Amino acid sequence: IEMFDLNGDGIYTVSIDLNQGWYYEYKYLNGDNSSTYEILASWESCINGANRVLNTDTSSNQVLSVVCFSSCAACPVYGCTDSTATNYDPTATIDDGSCIFPILGCMDISSCNYNPLATIDDGSCYNLTVDLGNDTSLCSSASMVLAVNGNYFSYEWNTSDTSSQITISSNGIYSVLVSDSLGCFASDTILISLSNLPLVDIGNDQKLCLGDSLILDAGSDWNNYLWSDSTTLQTFVVDTFGLYYVTVTDSLGCQGRDYVNVTMDTLSVAGFTYTINGLTVDFIDTSSYATSYLWDFMSDGSFIDTSMGDVSFTYQNSGFFDVTLLVSNSCGTDTFTSTIDLISSDIKNINSNFQIYPNPSKNQICIELDKLSTFSQLTITDFNGKIIFSEKILKVKSILDISSFPEGIYLITIDNKEKITHQKLVIY
């Protein structure tokens, strides 16, 4: 009966039909020739004489063990007998040194730790990554730390630094190259731009009147506000003197600051003194806290802006004048009035060349000149400088009716072209 090696493993098999519970003798031959019979040792237990012995059992299928030609013993099967090997052969009886054991490692060729010898991927594959963050802006007066997260074998910045972090304070492009102990590399780049500091303006130094208040406004362009009293609103109410400041923060975290000095202003107080030199009066300002000056020299309600306190004014004629000074500043105004007596001053300082009698008088007066000139002009004015009477004098002694004049003090002036003299007349 011919046997076949169906799978090429060197083991020949055949299936034959035998009777159950019978006794058989058989042997193998290598080729269809009597000279190729196997020779079995006489002491082999599986034979009877020179033949093999088989007692069939009662099962429907009986498998005989593999044996070698000319031997009753089980035939040795060479192969890998280590069960941990990838090529383990459970049928092998003799290890032939062919065992192949699995090599664990990273099998991803794009990974930093790729192992070309690995036969089983152990999930250890990795790639280096480094992240310096998004491009950002930096306050022009600030510094910034660029840091690499994680521990690496080496660091190389484009600034020539070799530490895991650097401190920068200028704009530019910054990059870092990192590596691990296996020689795997990764890099990242960041663009740093400089941003100007916030320009905040809460106004110039100011003066504050007593009882008043003002609002300092830092503007609506900022994210955060911090005033000198730790309040955090956009505006700040000031009602007393002092130095006030605000610190503002923009969306980038940059900060700017502005200061204002608030002083208390006092209500202006008007005042003056004066000296008389003929018809010219020198006014000396004694006002306090005034920033503007308005003068009424003629008692007529018309004010002259002199822009300063000390002034001089020349009157056209003698008389009594109520001079008013109006001063003001940011807190308000004040006035001061004083009567200027130019009549008494003239009479006191100038020698008269005529006489008046009776004086005081009620109805008539006699005006007597020292001498008669070709031209003498008589003028009578009240103490506000208003001309009441005026005529030429044609003789040394003249009688003048004053009964129609109101009671009061008047100034009589004689002008003879060479000299102008005055005298005071009292009418009762």
Side-chain angles (χ1 to χ4, degrees):
I1 301 173
E2 186 178 2
M3 305 179 72
F4 299 95
D5 182 3
L6 299 177
N7 56 6
D9 60 357
I11 300 174
Y12 291 79
T13 62
V14 68
S15 297
I16 58 177
D17 292 329
L18 299 176
N19 294 323
Q20 295 176 325
W22 278 47
Y23 171 82
Y24 293 91
E25 289 185 14
Y26 66 98
K27 61 171 37 175
Y28 299 107
L29 63 152
N30 186 13
D32 189 14
N33 191 306
S34 60
S35 63
T36 61
Y37 282 110
E38 63 180 345
I39 300 173
L40 298 171
S42 59
W43 49 263
E44 298 257 19
S45 60
C46 66
I47 64 173
N48 181 14
N51 297 321
R52 295 177 185 269
V53 175
L54 171 61
N55 293 303
T56 60
D57 57 24
T58 58
S59 63
S60 61
N61 189 32
Q62 187 173 350
V63 179
L64 302 182
S65 299
V66 178
V67 295
C68 281
F69 193 78
S70 297
S71 174
C72 288
C75 185
V77 178
Y78 294 93
C80 177
T81 61
D82 191 334
S83 62
T84 63
T86 58
N87 60 336
Y88 165 65
D89 184 358
T91 65
T93 59
I94 297 177
D95 195 291
D96 61 357
S98 65
C99 292
I100 300 174
F101 296 95
I103 300 176
L104 300 177
C106 174
M107 299 180 68
D108 184 352
I109 193 172
S110 64
S111 297
C112 287
N113 59 334
Y114 166 65
N115 184 356
L117 300 177
T119 58
I120 297 178
D121 196 298
D122 60 359
S124 64
C125 295
Y126 76 93
N127 289 288
L128 286 188
T129 58
V130 59
D131 185 10
L132 295 177
N134 297 327
D135 295 344
T136 187
S137 294
L138 179 67
C139 299
S140 59
S141 65
S143 60
M144 179 181 182
V145 175
L146 293 179
V148 176
N149 294 325
N151 294 321
Y152 297 95
F153 183 75
S154 68
Y155 307 84
E156 184 178 347
W157 296 85
N158 63 339
T159 59
S160 300
D161 291 282
T162 57
S163 59
S164 62
Q165 65 181 36
I166 61 173
T167 300
I168 61 172
S169 57
S170 59
N171 63 322
I173 298 176
Y174 296 88
S175 62
V176 65
L177 178 69
V178 300
S179 66
D180 63 7
S181 58
L182 298 178
C184 194
F185 293 90
S187 65
D188 193 27
T189 299
I190 186 173
L191 173 63
I192 303 297
S193 304
L194 289 183
S195 177
N196 293 328
L197 294 180
L199 182 60
V200 56
D201 183 11
I202 56 176
N204 299 324
D205 293 346
Q206 301 188 45
K207 289 186 176 182
L208 188 64
C209 300
L210 185 64
D212 290 344
S213 63
L214 61 91
I215 297 177
L216 302 178
D217 191 340
S220 60
D221 300 326
W222 319 118
N223 285 40
N224 295 292
Y225 305 83
L226 181 62
W227 293 89
S228 47
D229 69 340
S230 298
T231 55
T232 57
L233 299 178
Q234 176 184 328
T235 58
F236 185 81
V237 178
V238 175
D239 57 7
T240 185
F241 67 93
L243 180 65
Y244 299 90
Y245 64 87
V246 64
T247 302
V248 299
T249 306
D250 64 13
S251 58
L252 296 176
C254 302
Q255 292 186 332
R257 176 176 287 193
D258 192 27
Y259 300 81
V260 63
N261 187 31
V262 178
T263 56
M264 298 303 294
D265 204 357
T266 304
L267 182 66
S268 57
V269 178
F272 63 85
T273 60
Y274 58 89
T275 58
I276 298 175
N277 182 17
L279 295 180
T280 300
V281 181
D282 296 319
F283 295 93
I284 299 97
D285 175 44
T286 61
S287 304
S288 302
Y289 312 111
T291 57
S292 66
Y293 301 84
L294 296 175
W295 291 88
D296 178 6
F297 298 110
M298 300 297 297
S299 309
D300 58 1
S302 298
F303 285 89
I304 300 174
D305 186 353
T306 63
S307 74
M308 62 179 64
D310 295 343
V311 295
S312 295
F313 187 80
T314 300
Y315 290 87
Q316 297 300 313
N317 50 266
S318 299
F320 285 98
F321 301 94
D322 291 330
V323 178
T324 299
L325 171 63
L326 186 150
V327 297
S328 63
N329 62 12
S330 60
C331 291
T333 61
D334 187 39
T335 58
F336 176 79
T337 301
S338 180
T339 300
I340 308 299
D341 181 1
L342 293 185
I343 296 177
S344 298
S345 173
D346 285 345
I347 294 173
K348 179 179 180 180
N349 295 319
I350 302 176
N351 293 324
S352 179
N353 58 0
F354 67 94
Q355 295 181 9
I356 302 174
Y357 54 88
N359 189 11
S361 179
K362 184 175 182 180
N363 296 314
Q364 292 180 335
I365 57 172
C366 179
I367 300 173
E368 184 176 345
L369 304 179
D370 291 345
K371 63 179 181 178
L372 182 65
S373 63
T374 56
F375 176 83
S376 293
Q377 182 71 32
L378 168 67
T379 303
I380 301 177
T381 60
D382 61 18
F383 267 34
N384 289 324
K386 181 180 180 181
I387 297 176
I388 304 299
F389 178 82
S390 179
E391 68 175 14
K392 291 182 179 180
I393 299 178
L394 302 176
K395 50 187 177 180
V396 173
K397 185 180 293 186
S398 302
I399 303 298
L400 180 63
D401 184 4
I402 59 171
S403 60
S404 62
F405 291 6
E407 295 181 1
I409 300 175
Y410 295 85
L411 183 67
I412 295 180
T413 301
I414 301 294
D415 181 2
N416 61 8
K417 295 294 186 179
E418 297 177 358
K419 186 177 182 180
I420 299 175
T421 57
H422 310 278
Q423 284 197 42
K424 183 169 62 176
L425 169 65
V426 178
I427 300 176
Y428 62 92

